[in-house]
Amino acid sequence: MIKYVGVDDLNVDLFESQYVVKNGMSYNSYVIYDEKIAVMDTVEFAYANEWLENIKKVLNKKVPDYLVLHHMEPDHSGAVQAFLKKYPTTTVVGNAKTFVMLKQFYPQLVLANKKEVKDGDKISLGKNDSLTFVFAPMVHWPEVMMSVDNGILFSADAFGKFGALKFEDNWDDEARRYYHGIIGKYGVQVNQLIKKLTPFNIRAILPLHGPIIKETLAHVIDLYTKWSTYQPEDNGVCIFYASIYGNTRKAAMRLYDQLQMKNSEIIDLARFDLSEAVSKAFYYKKIVLACPTYNGDLFPVMKTFLNALAERNYQGRTIALIENGSWAPIANKKMKEYIDVYFKNCDIITPTITMKGAITSDTVQQLNLLVGALKK
Ligand code: FEO
């Protein structure tokens, strides 16, 4: 029997101090109740009492035999001290790296009982439940491991999403933003994990954030396969622009209007959530970057955006460039440098467009050519 004992965090403003989570966040935790009892992960420190109350309700006055720590990031390990204060004899289960990090984050912690597991180890909980440990380094930290119990995968951060469980928002959108924001850099490791899990015949996924995945399992695995191999989900176009006085914006809008494609979007980088912009850049096959020159460099929001993509191994896309600069335009050169140095396997399509202020008849002509190139 598996019972949910996690919590919803409706107070968090920025998850990891950077991601806007208007619907909060869930920190999931479960109790597996067999002849032996295992608590799967803890929660963020501020929710320790609520979580311990949830555990108490399902324990029937028993003491848990195991506390399994799949991931040491404090949104999941934050209540470990509170737990061990209440249940000091419970055996803490982790791997060699888990216990190193446990000491780093909680130097005062005294462990009465611990069990160090290796990749593939099993712990039987009784007649019905048995945990098999599957190491998943760098999904999202090096110590991350998962466990499988009768085809049910406790997946740590993987397959999670932003948003508290009490809200029913769009799984794809908030899981995509979460994936590209938090795990996206580690596509290779995520893809290896998907392959490693194949023999387990997974029938449900219980991530540390977001809802249980069961009915939509095939769809979710399909999306994770695409995301982890950096494939676009849509052949359309997303235009990302920055504009100081509106001229670059006018060019970007003209391009967007002339494209007349259902699968196209236009985003003002100065007024759009960065993590959402990043996830849109991964979603589409083709992107347009339109940017003014500023202090002999890129306008700051474009630089931040390109940095965020580079950190996440952006690759395999078709990119068009538009620059604006009154006396020494250099934005296209700078954007091309980013693409050449930090992005992999991206094609820059022609024409690359230079504006020196307002749109001219030459700009219009060039934009028309770009429309044709983007529609190919
Ligand atoms: Fe939800 Fe990597 O912590």
Side-chain angles (χ1 to χ4, degrees):
M1 182 181 65
I2 299 175
K3 289 271 188 190
Y4 181 76
V5 291
V7 298
D8 268 356
D9 180 354
L10 304 178
N11 298 314
V12 58
D13 57 345
L14 294 174
F15 181 66
E16 289 190 355
S17 288
Q18 60 173 320
Y19 299 105
V20 173
V21 282
K22 60 182 189 307
N23 284 342
M25 206 63 200
S26 75
Y27 310 123
N28 298 341
S29 169
Y30 296 86
V31 170
I32 306 178
Y33 205 109
D34 198 337
E35 286 158 23
K36 290 194 170 171
I37 297 170
V39 176
M40 310 299 269
D41 299 291
T42 86
V43 297
E44 209 267 338
F45 170 76
Y47 293 86
N49 288 341
E50 182 182 335
W51 171 67
L52 287 170
E53 273 304 303
N54 292 346
I55 292 173
K56 192 175 150 191
K57 281 177 201 157
V58 302
L59 281 187
N60 258 338
K61 297 190 176 163
K62 289 195 174 177
V63 171
D65 296 275
Y66 299 110
L67 171 65
V68 179
L69 297 177
H70 291 103
H71 181 18
M72 276 304 299
E73 196 164 6
D75 51 334
H76 309 297
S77 69
V80 67
Q81 294 185 106
F83 178 91
L84 288 176
K85 200 171 168 192
K86 189 161 183 180
Y87 305 110
T89 59
T90 297
T91 298
V92 175
V93 179
N95 56 56
K97 290 191 172 106
T98 314
F99 291 112
V100 172
M101 287 192 181
L102 201 58
K103 196 80 188 157
Q104 288 170 217
F105 279 100
Y106 312 104
Q108 314 300 331
L109 192 74
V110 179
L111 282 183
N113 296 302
K114 72 172 201 178
K115 184 171 176 61
E116 188 179 308
V117 293
K118 294 196 165 47
D119 195 15
D121 278 0
K122 291 183 187 346
I123 292 181
S124 173
L125 300 176
K127 289 195 188 90
N128 299 313
D129 295 280
S130 169
L131 298 174
T132 303
F133 294 92
V134 180
F135 285 17
M138 300 321 296
V139 186
H140 142 238
W141 280 14
E143 88 299 356
V144 168
M145 61 181 192
M146 304 181 179
S147 57
V148 185
D149 174 17
N150 294 321
I152 293 170
L153 173 68
F154 294 88
S155 67
D157 275 339
F159 307 103
K161 69 179 269 297
F162 293 126
L165 294 183
K166 71 175 278 189
F167 297 107
E168 276 188 30
D169 44 21
N170 182 303
W171 191 93
D172 289 11
D173 288 346
E174 282 300 78
R176 183 186 300 109
R177 188 167 71 91
Y178 168 92
Y179 175 86
H180 291 302
I182 291 173
I183 312 175
K185 179 178 171 63
Y186 306 109
V188 170
Q189 291 87 342
V190 173
N191 199 251
Q192 282 168 353
L193 170 74
I194 293 168
K195 289 176 185 154
K196 195 172 176 181
L197 289 171
T198 307
F200 289 94
N201 295 319
I202 300 301
R203 58 192 172 91
I205 298 176
L206 279 54
L208 285 174
H209 304 287
I212 290 173
I213 296 157
K214 201 169 175 187
E215 284 78 20
T216 58
L217 189 63
H219 169 69
V220 166
I221 296 289
D222 181 52
L223 280 181
Y224 255 66
T225 303
K226 279 200 178 95
W227 296 344
S228 62
T229 52
Y230 302 94
Q231 294 171 60
E233 290 173 67
D234 192 303
N235 209 29
V237 178
C238 195
I239 302 166
F240 300 93
Y241 73 87
S243 188
I244 306 169
Y245 290 108
N247 287 311
T248 313
R249 178 177 185 276
K250 274 185 192 153
M253 284 303 295
R254 186 179 178 99
L255 180 67
Y256 175 68
D257 289 342
Q258 292 208 326
L259 275 172
Q260 292 189 325
M261 285 167 67
K262 275 189 183 150
N263 53 345
S264 65
E265 287 188 63
I266 183 162
I267 287 170
D268 176 357
L269 287 172
R271 294 171 179 81
F272 199 81
D273 176 68
L274 175 65
S275 66
E276 206 164 336
V278 166
S279 90
K280 299 275 186 196
F282 279 99
Y283 179 81
Y284 287 104
K285 169 70 180 163
K286 299 166 193 168
I287 65 167
V288 179
L289 304 171
C291 183
T293 298
Y294 188 80
N295 284 337
D297 203 339
L298 295 170
F299 194 65
V301 288
M302 179 61 80
K303 212 170 174 177
T304 304
F305 177 58
L306 296 181
N307 271 330
L309 294 181
E311 284 169 8
R312 289 158 179 81
N313 291 327
Y314 196 66
Q315 55 187 271
R317 299 303 194 269
T318 301
I319 304 175
L321 302 176
I322 301 172
E323 68 179 347
N324 204 341
S326 316
W327 65 92
I330 201 165
N332 277 355
K333 183 172 178 279
K334 294 279 180 184
M335 290 192 285
K336 191 172 177 312
E337 278 171 11
Y338 255 98
I339 294 163
D340 290 344
V341 176
Y342 298 112
F343 298 177
K344 282 185 223 150
N345 306 323
C346 287
D347 297 320
I348 298 176
I349 54 169
T350 53
T352 52
I353 300 176
T354 297
M355 299 166 67
K356 290 190 169 178
I359 293 180
T360 63
S361 57
D362 183 53
T363 319
V364 170
Q365 214 177 0
Q366 299 271 301
L367 286 170
N368 288 344
L369 290 172
L370 192 52
V371 167
L374 286 165
K375 283 194 155 186
K376 269 184 194 159

